[in-house]
């Protein structure tokens, strides 16, 4: 696998995906194939052009079934497995390499058409046909969630999956049998904001949060490790970080203390490839939007890196574990060295200086040659790293 | 200063005394007109023992995430509707408990009001009038205290639990000023005497003696007002049990939900049951310019639980027919979703809800357009809304008082009672 060289990032193309916020993105293997989902539940696949282009390539496939926002996408290294988590309370499993089942017309430039129609009301901008593309259904739907599924993670051995919803339910799934291995619930009224599995799928990380409900009934956030097969808690990061603070269900003081670490919820989490570290992104509208690098063995904070003004949205490790890549509401993608926390690259200028709006999700191809960020304005930006 | 004890929110001994004196002085300049000449009317209303509970959503709850969903439209957002126990009426999935109480409420989906910011909106939706430098309009609670409240009550007639609004009694004077409770219903510190009861009684006797001696050769009413101010605080001491809700809370926690607003709503019922004319229960945090959906997902479920519990409790006790329950904030929220995942202020088309008293249950009044940007049918102004509330409580909304020669009706001139909302 080639080394990731953040300094070589070159904007390759811009995928237009208008109509609703683009919320999730994943590379399908090491080729030039990519999937992205939006807030309306539309999930599309693109085949990226070989050469850099200013023209937006059309999508090639639509994955049908979701009826509400797609929050997270994870994919296998060979690109034969794509899993999506949605506000529609479902987790769906797809093989984007199978023969398509049908076709559909898709319009991905609705906002451009509306602008055109305003300039020329008598023109045919709004009635122009869309792109006809292949469609397919999910191979499997993981059911059992009772609320928005916001958390999703797959073990690096690609044998297990973890998902978490806003009712506090966490499920661990076996991908071969598609059976539920374990489930547990967090604190009452809390939402599962992020979850991930260690490389071998044995350890689960789960973060919980709930927006303020009132000054004395605010439930505490939770940031914990579990045995994935049993749901038995093995480490409480907040207890390690704040040993002198007593956990009480109704403690505002406790909430304000952990608020410095959790911000408005840890919205993204990933184990490093060697399993020694966890990257946790501070989400919601918050001033700092840091990514915490946590030591898995001790629960201690190694360092906080990056910093997305107004909040981070997603964070991942590079495949070689040398870098952590994060995106956020400041419209930037930032790449930091794990070893010393130094930020070595920033793609985009803060607050709309270059790209339009929040970067809601980030993805790196397994061979580290392609990088993508989903912009809520209805764009997916793709960089070549070679 | 104790942040829980703002002068405008409660009636302290000193404030009460000052207010009583100010009222005497005010009488020189103001003609209270029919308000003070309405004793007969007030007595009639009191016979019916009407009361009002206001659930105040501070910051302005989103109509799109509560009662006027626009699913599938660009303005709709990610939440989804659920069926209710009223055929054809759907509300947000965040309110499953209220979905089962829809046959008790009237939803007004066509509010169109005039104050788009918080201070103006809070004043407007507490008084029916925009803020004015010239007139100190009374809050709805003070009006209810005046017209529905008991004379010389042991409990204050206007109580606020963790709520907002700073207009207070306005020109109605300090007798109708709100009495503020802490967020979990605790009494403010001044309300409980630290003195030994014997010492307190001796002190009162001495004060009364001094006041009587002072009043013997003077014709002003100040001494009487001074005594009444102390008497009202002493009467309150006899009712402290009402505020001690822990025992009852254990029984009703599941009904109301174990939250701040749940506790507030149960205390509101308890106070109304004890004769309080108006209780306001507040919940803050709805000003969701950022992360509107997460914000509402946090705030609405506990409110849903508390509100549904309150309606159930009032209904089961036979109190709903005489208790008006008002659900509102100061503004609605924009149809457009901004790039902070939030909704901003909007007053062109939004939602309030009424239940109980004379309100027709199980109806949805008015309609907004496809995207919720404008009222499509039956607009209701703030004046119409207050006129309807007053009428449902048996108070004449056209009742006037005078500032100089200027008549000021309870509901603004030109307001119309929405008769379709009344049974």
């Amino acid at each position: 696998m080639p080394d990731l060289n953040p300094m070589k990032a070159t904007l390759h193309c811009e995928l237009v995906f208008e109509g609703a916020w683009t919320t999730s993105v994943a590379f399908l293997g090491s080729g030039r194939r990519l999937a992205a989902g939006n807030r309306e539940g539309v999930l599309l696949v693109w085949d990226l052009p070989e050469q850099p282009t200013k023209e937006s390539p059309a999508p090639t496939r639509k994955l049908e079934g979701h009826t509400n926002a797609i929050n997270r996408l994870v994919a296998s290294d060979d690109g034969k497995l794509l899993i999506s988590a949605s506000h529609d309370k479902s987790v769906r499993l797809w093989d984007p390499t199978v023969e398509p089942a049908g076709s559909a017309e898709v319009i991905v430039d609705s906002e451009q058409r509306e602008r055109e129609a305003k300039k020329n009301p008598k023109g045919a901008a709004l009635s122009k046909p869309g792109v006809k593309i292949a469609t397919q259904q999910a191979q499997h739907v993981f059911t059992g969630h009772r609320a928005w599924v916001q958390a999703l993670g797959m073990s690096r051995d690609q044998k297990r999956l973890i998902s978490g919803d806003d009712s506090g339910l966490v499920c661990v799934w076996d991908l071969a049998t598609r059976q539920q291995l374990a489930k547990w619930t967090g604190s009452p009224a809390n939402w599962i904001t992020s979850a991930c599995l260690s490389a071998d799928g044995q350890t689960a990380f789960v973060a919980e949060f709930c927006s303020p409900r009132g000054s004395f009934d605010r439930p505490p956030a939770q940031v914990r490790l579990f045995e994935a097969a049993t749901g038995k808690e093995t480490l409480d990061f907040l207890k390690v970080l704040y040993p002198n603070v007593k956990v009480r269900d109704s403690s505002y003081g406790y909430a304000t203390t952990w608020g410095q670490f959790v911000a408005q919820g840890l919205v993204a989490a990933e184990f490093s490839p060697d399993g020694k570290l966890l990257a946790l992104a501070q989400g919601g509208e918050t001033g700092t939007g840091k990514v915490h690098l946590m030591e898995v063995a001790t629960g201690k904070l190694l360092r906080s890196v990056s910093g997305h003004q107004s909040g981070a949205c997603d964070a991942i490790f590079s495949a070689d574990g040398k870098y952590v890549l994060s995106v956020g509401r400041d419209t930037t993608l930032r790449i930091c060295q794990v070893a010393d926390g130094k930020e070595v690259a920033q793609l985009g200028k803060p607050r709309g200086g270059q790209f339009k709006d929040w970067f809601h999700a980030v993805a790196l191809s397994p061979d580290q040659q392609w990088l993508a960020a989903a912009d809520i304005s209805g764009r997916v930006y793709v960089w070549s790293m070679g | 200063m104790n942040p829980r004890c703002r002068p405008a929110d409660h009636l302290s001994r000193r404030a009460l005394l000052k207010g009583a004196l100010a009222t005497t002085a005010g009488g020189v300049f103001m003609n209270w007109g029919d308000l003070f000449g309405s004793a007969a009317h007030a007595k009639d209303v009191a016979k019916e023992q009407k009361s009002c509970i206001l659930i105040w959503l501070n910051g302005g709850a989103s109509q799109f995430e509560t009662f006027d969903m626009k699913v599938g439209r660009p303005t709709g957002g990610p939440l989804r509707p659920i069926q209710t126990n009223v055929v054809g009426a759907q509300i947000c999935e965040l309110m499953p408990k209220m979905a089962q109480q829809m046959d008790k409420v009237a939803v007004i989906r066509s509010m169109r009001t005039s104050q788009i910011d918080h201070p103006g909106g809070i004043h407007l939706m507490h008084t029916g009038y925009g803020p004015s430098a010239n007139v100190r309009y009374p809050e709805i609670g003070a009006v209810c205290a005046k017209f529905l409240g008991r004379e010389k009550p042991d409990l204050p007639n206007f109580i606020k639990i963790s709520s907002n609004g700073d207009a207070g009694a306005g020109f109605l004077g300090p007798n109708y000023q709100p009495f503020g409770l802490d967020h979990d219903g605790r009494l403010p510190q001044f309300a409980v005497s630290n003195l030994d009861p014997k010492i307190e009684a001796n002190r009162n006797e001495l004060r009364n003696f001094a006041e009587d001696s002072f009043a013997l050769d003077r014709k002003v009413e100040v001494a009487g007002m001074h005594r009444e101010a102390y008497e009202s605080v002493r009467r309150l001491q006899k009712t402290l049990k009402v505020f001690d809700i822990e025992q009852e809370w254990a029984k009703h926690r599941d009904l109301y939900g174990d939250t701040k607003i749940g506790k507030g709503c149960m205390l509101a019922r308890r106070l109304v049951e004890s004769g309080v004319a108006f209780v306001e229960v507040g919940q803050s945090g709805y000003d969701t310019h950022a992360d509107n959906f997460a914000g509402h997902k946090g705030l609405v479920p506990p409110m849903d639980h508390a509100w549904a519990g309150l309606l159930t409790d009032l209904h089961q006790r036979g109190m709903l027919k005489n208790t008006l329950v008002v659900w509102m904030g100061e503004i609605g929220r924009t149809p457009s979703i901004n790039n902070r995942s939030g909704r901003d202020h909007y007053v062109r088309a939004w939602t309030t809800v009424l239940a109980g008293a004379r309100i027709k249950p199980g109806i949805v009044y008015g309609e907004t357009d496809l995207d919720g940007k404008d009222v499509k049918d039956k607009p209701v102004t703030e004046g119409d809304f207050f006129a309807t509330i007053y009428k449902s409580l048996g108070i004449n909304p056209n009742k006037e008082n005078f500032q100089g020669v200027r008549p000021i009706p309870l509901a603004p001139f030109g307001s119309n009672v929405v008769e379709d909302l009344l049974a």
Side-chain angles (χ1 to χ4, degrees):
Chain A
M1 178 175 57
D3 283 347
L4 177 70
N5 187 344
M7 306 308 287
K8 283 192 173 177
T10 309
L11 191 62
H12 186 76
C13 63
E14 180 180 322
L15 310 177
V16 174
F17 188 6
E18 292 175 346
W21 288 19
T22 312
T23 49
S24 49
V25 63
F27 281 97
L28 302 173
S30 291
R32 298 187 313 280
R33 212 158 185 232
L34 172 150
N38 75 8
R39 204 166 191 171
E40 294 296 320
V42 180
L43 181 50
L44 299 176
V45 174
W46 281 263
D47 290 312
L48 304 177
E50 280 188 35
Q51 299 300 319
T53 175
K54 290 189 175 176
E55 294 292 314
S56 172
T60 53
R61 187 172 289 211
K62 184 181 184 190
L63 310 186
E64 295 181 325
H66 281 302
T67 57
N68 206 336
I70 296 165
N71 297 309
R72 291 274 161 201
L73 290 173
V74 295
S76 61
D77 289 348
D78 63 5
K80 290 183 178 175
L81 184 66
L82 175 70
I83 298 157
S84 51
S86 169
H87 273 15
D88 68 11
K89 305 172 190 173
S90 75
V91 174
R92 289 170 192 260
L93 182 148
W94 319 78
D95 179 357
T97 64
V98 298
E99 282 298 309
S103 66
E105 187 178 299
V106 174
I107 294 172
V108 291
D109 57 349
S110 56
E111 288 164 26
Q112 291 176 31
R113 288 167 182 237
E114 283 166 15
R115 282 195 294 273
E116 207 177 308
K118 271 186 187 169
K119 283 183 192 167
N120 181 13
K122 291 181 181 173
L126 295 179
S127 56
K128 276 192 303 189
V131 186
K132 198 157 192 183
I133 59 174
T135 61
Q136 71 173 90
Q137 304 292 316
Q139 283 196 330
H140 183 73
V141 180
F142 295 100
T143 57
H145 280 294
R146 304 183 290 247
W148 292 358
V149 188
Q150 304 229 54
L152 183 71
M154 185 166 62
S155 59
R156 285 185 188 266
D157 65 10
Q158 296 165 21
K159 291 180 178 171
R160 285 183 178 178
L161 186 74
I162 187 168
S163 54
D165 69 30
D166 279 1
S167 73
L169 177 66
V170 178
C171 297
V172 177
W173 312 89
D174 181 278
L175 281 170
T177 63
R178 296 171 185 175
Q179 296 298 306
Q180 193 177 74
L181 289 175
K183 68 173 180 179
W184 64 91
T185 51
S187 298
N190 269 358
W191 313 326
I192 308 300
T193 54
S194 58
C196 59
L197 291 168
S198 59
D200 59 5
Q202 299 300 310
T203 304
F205 168 82
V206 178
E208 299 174 21
F209 183 75
C210 181
S211 224
R213 291 151 50 90
S215 57
F216 85 84
D217 54 359
R218 184 176 183 175
Q222 299 286 354
V223 186
R224 294 182 287 182
L225 289 178
F226 298 88
E227 284 179 6
T230 63
K232 184 184 168 192
E233 182 186 318
T234 57
L235 180 71
D236 185 329
F237 287 94
L238 294 179
K239 280 184 182 166
V240 174
L241 293 169
Y242 305 107
N244 297 323
V245 178
K246 288 181 181 173
V247 180
R248 285 184 294 147
D249 283 344
S250 301
S251 167
Y252 183 69
Y254 181 63
T256 52
T257 303
W258 54 248
Q260 295 166 17
F261 178 76
V262 174
Q264 297 298 307
L266 298 169
V267 292
E270 190 172 80
F271 279 95
S272 60
D274 63 9
K276 292 180 179 172
L277 296 176
L278 264 166
L280 308 177
Q282 290 183 317
E285 187 165 288
T286 170
T288 55
K290 294 275 185 190
V291 178
H292 301 307
L293 296 177
M294 311 298 298
E295 292 176 352
V296 172
T298 64
K300 289 180 180 168
L301 175 67
L302 176 65
R303 64 178 58 87
S304 295
V305 302
S306 200
H308 294 273
Q309 188 189 355
S310 301
C313 294
D314 199 4
I316 56 172
F317 281 100
S318 59
D320 57 16
K322 292 179 180 171
Y323 300 98
V324 60
L325 301 87
S326 61
V327 291
R329 300 186 181 201
D330 61 350
T331 75
T332 65
L333 191 163
R334 296 171 188 269
I335 305 175
C336 295
Q337 289 178 165
V338 170
D340 58 7
K342 184 183 174 189
E343 185 174 294
V344 293
Q346 174 191 304
L347 306 182
K349 293 173 183 168
R351 301 305 296 165
Q354 180 179 358
F355 301 111
K356 281 191 170 179
D357 224 318
W358 300 8
F359 283 174
H360 202 276
V362 61
L364 183 67
S365 65
D367 61 3
Q368 306 198 118
Q369 294 302 293
W370 300 95
L371 179 62
D375 181 326
I376 65 166
S377 70
R379 296 284 185 282
V380 177
Y381 300 106
V382 181
W383 290 268
S384 161
M385 305 302 287
Chain B
M1 175 193 263
N2 182 351
R4 293 168 182 157
C5 264
R6 291 175 302 166
D9 287 350
H10 65 71
L11 195 62
S12 70
R13 286 185 174 97
R14 180 165 295 183
L16 190 59
L17 289 167
K18 275 186 181 174
L21 291 165
T23 304
T24 312
V28 175
F29 302 107
M30 298 281 287
N31 171 8
W32 300 109
D34 228 5
L35 282 178
F36 280 86
S38 61
H41 174 73
K43 268 187 183 175
D44 287 345
V45 173
K47 278 180 194 168
E48 295 179 27
Q49 294 181 319
K50 291 275 195 300
S51 52
C52 181
I53 296 172
L54 167 58
I55 298 174
W56 179 259
L57 311 164
N58 199 52
S62 168
Q63 63 277 22
F64 298 98
E65 278 67 60
T66 50
F67 287 97
D68 196 9
M69 304 198 76
K70 300 294 178 186
V71 177
R73 301 299 303 170
T75 56
L79 289 156
R80 295 291 180 259
I82 51 173
Q83 293 296 335
T84 69
N85 64 357
V86 172
V87 177
Q90 292 188 322
I91 62 173
C92 180
E93 62 182 313
L94 297 178
M95 300 193 294
K97 293 190 181 293
M98 276 307 297
Q100 298 309 310
Q101 301 294 327
M102 277 291 280
D103 58 348
K104 295 187 179 69
V105 307
V107 178
I108 306 170
R109 282 182 175 157
S110 51
M111 292 298 297
R112 183 185 287 166
T113 54
S114 59
Q115 295 284 331
I116 199 162
D117 253 324
H118 300 294
I122 289 170
H123 188 280
L124 185 80
M125 297 309 288
H126 274 91
T127 65
Y129 288 88
S132 162
N134 299 322
V135 182
R136 289 168 55 237
Y137 296 104
E139 292 186 24
I140 176 179
V143 173
C144 289
K146 167 74 185 167
F147 286 92
L148 307 178
R150 297 173 179 175
E151 279 187 36
K152 294 193 176 179
D154 289 348
L155 282 164
N157 274 316
F158 177 12
I159 294 181
K160 286 191 174 196
I161 305 168
S162 185
S163 198
N164 296 79
D166 55 6
F171 56 61
L172 291 183
N175 277 350
Y176 307 105
Q177 192 70 357
F179 182 85
L181 299 181
D182 201 354
H183 62 78
D184 56 356
R186 278 181 295 170
L187 283 163
Q189 285 177 347
F190 76 84
V192 183
S193 173
N194 295 323
L195 293 176
D196 180 277
K198 280 185 182 172
I199 297 173
E200 179 81 45
N202 290 341
R203 179 178 280 199
N204 285 330
E205 265 182 44
L206 179 61
R207 186 171 46 243
N208 289 345
F209 172 75
E211 280 172 355
D212 290 344
S213 304
F214 178 81
L216 274 177
D217 51 355
R218 289 171 178 82
K219 300 293 180 192
V220 295
E221 294 179 17
V222 173
M225 287 180 170
H226 189 254
R227 174 175 288 188
E228 173 52 27
Y230 274 98
E231 285 300 318
S232 66
V233 177
R234 283 168 61 195
R235 286 198 298 272
L236 179 65
Q237 306 304 308
K238 292 189 283 184
T239 65
L240 293 182
K241 274 194 296 186
V242 176
F243 297 95
D244 183 10
I245 63 172
E246 289 311 317
Q247 205 173 354
E248 190 177 1
W249 180 239
K251 291 179 198 162
H252 288 87
R253 186 184 286 121
D254 290 345
L255 178 63
Y256 285 88
D258 191 7
T259 61
K260 164 185 157 184
I261 183 136
K263 224 168 190 175
C265 282
M266 195 200 78
L267 178 58
R269 188 271 297 154
R270 198 171 153 97
L271 291 169
V272 164
E273 203 171 27
S274 302
V276 177
F278 187 96
V279 184
E280 179 172 330
V281 186
Q283 188 194 25
S284 288
Y286 283 97
D287 194 21
T288 46
H289 292 282
D291 295 317
N292 172 72
F293 309 105
H296 279 73
K297 254 157 49 70
L299 289 164
V300 173
M303 181 275 296
D304 167 66
H305 198 153
W307 185 16
L310 175 65
L311 293 177
T312 303
D313 205 0
L314 289 172
H315 177 69
Q316 286 174 352
R317 290 167 191 264
M319 294 169 64
L320 194 56
K321 63 180 186 297
N322 285 320
T323 308
L324 178 70
V325 180
V326 182
W327 179 93
M328 66 172 168
E330 67 268 34
I331 48 174
R333 306 219 71 87
T334 48
S336 57
I337 300 162
N338 66 26
N339 72 348
R340 296 163 68 198
S341 195
R343 294 189 194 267
D344 303 314
H345 303 177
Y346 203 67
V347 292
R348 192 160 179 77
W350 59 290
T351 299
T352 56
V353 182
L354 301 173
R358 278 191 59 199
I359 296 298
K360 203 180 282 179
I363 63 166
V364 175
Y365 182 85
E367 191 182 348
T368 53
D369 63 18
L370 203 56
D371 287 321
K373 290 181 177 171
D374 210 345
V375 173
K376 189 176 166 188
D377 191 23
K378 301 175 183 170
V380 176
T381 67
E382 61 268 17
D384 301 340
F385 185 65
F386 275 80
T388 308
I389 284 176
Y390 288 140
K391 185 161 183 187
S392 77
L393 288 168
I395 301 170
N396 178 2
N398 300 317
K399 188 67 74 179
E400 291 176 348
N401 70 93
F402 293 86
Q403 183 165 16
V405 294
R406 178 181 172 186
I408 301 171
L410 291 182
F413 284 117
S415 305
N416 297 305
V417 172
V418 184
E419 295 289 350
D420 287 350
L421 285 167
L422 300 177

